[in-house]
Amino acid sequence: MTTLANYLNTHANHPALNDVITTVTDVGKTISQLLRKGALADILGEAGNQNVQGEDQKKLDVLANDLLLDALAKNAHCAGVASEELDDATPANPDGSLLVLFDPLDGSSNIDINMAVGTIFSILPYQRQGQNSENSDFLQAGNQQLAAGYLLYGTSTVLALTITDNVVMFSLDPDTNEYVLIEENVQIDADTSEYAINASNYRYWRAPMQQYIDELIAGKTGVRGRDFNTRWVAAMVGDVHRILCRGGLFTYPFDTKDANKAGKLRLMYEANPMSLLIERAGGAATDAVNRILDIVPNDIHQRVPVVLGSRNEVAYVKDLHVKHADK
Ligand code: F6P
Ligand code: MN
């Protein structure tokens, strides 16, 4: 049996990284316990505030954010923290060498209905040790990430992590409260017949995305010549987990629903960490055309269209977009 602590000691020759990952995953144990208590912990419902994205915060969003923030502020290696729930990044320890970004509770509309939610995290290097970190220190492309992962609070709590060139998964053992290694080298098939999209936005998509979904729905009777199946968890963390387990394509594409949003998902603490995991498992992640990990951010809360998963399917979507743009 390999615990997370054993794994980190033997695989990451970066003590600061080990320490920060341990802090985040320890908080994950607390969040997991709070979620298990559900209504009994009096944590459900609105907190009465809105976050920087103009969305209502749930009590547990705020709680998860505060727990991560407090724990990371005490970690000597953490130079600063950026979160979906904070307008600006918060400086932590100026001598730290790492910056941590997180979505404390992804898919929070799932909390009140007892469905899967998760914590997504991304760790970047800090270049200005000795000085207080600022928003601009975080604006690094996803290809600079030193580690990324998520905790999925589902029927069991699972940690997916990448610190080397592959992806590993751990399950939180409820008896010992330890993360135990369950998968050492997660790989996604190149082809798939399963896709995830919120199709209620169809009329707001660009023509190539509409064409793509039309083709999938036509199935055997259309140009793809085979049937496809939809699965939609409504929490990115759940959809990405399914893809790491059995392949598939997930997209939250560009839409014109809100002129200020290039896509719903956030580049730095949703798309980037998930893209690193997906690529290292042999999949691909784009904004429909360009590799997500190469996008240089200009805002910590920047949004981006996302197409990720089985690489041949992601390439097919890109092809449709490129052909369309050529016309
Ligand atoms: O964090 C944003 C998010 O909750 C994702 O986890 C999820 O994939 C998406 O939004 C769901 O969006 P919608 O409510 O539009 O289906
Ligand atoms: Mn989210």
Side-chain angles (χ1 to χ4, degrees), residues 84 103 106-107 198 232 234-236 250 252 264-266 270:
E84 181 181 324
D103 178 352
D106 177 62
N198 183 342
W232 179 252
M236 183 195 202
F250 166 86
Y252 213 105
K264 180 170 183 178
L265 301 175
R266 290 68 160 196
E270 292 183 318

Side-chain angles (χ1 to χ4, degrees), residues 20 26 28 38 47 210 244 320:
V20 165
D26 279 351
Q210 289 178 332
L244 286 176
L320 287 179

Side-chain angles (χ1 to χ4, degrees), residues 51-81:
N51 67 15
V52 66
Q53 322 283 345
E55 297 159 335
D56 290 329
Q57 289 180 313
K58 301 285 177 186
K59 282 187 195 170
L60 198 60
D61 294 19
V62 181
L63 212 54
N65 184 63
D66 293 350
L67 288 169
L68 283 164
L69 203 61
D70 289 353
L72 287 164
K74 289 187 199 124
N75 189 306
H77 302 292
C78 178
V81 172

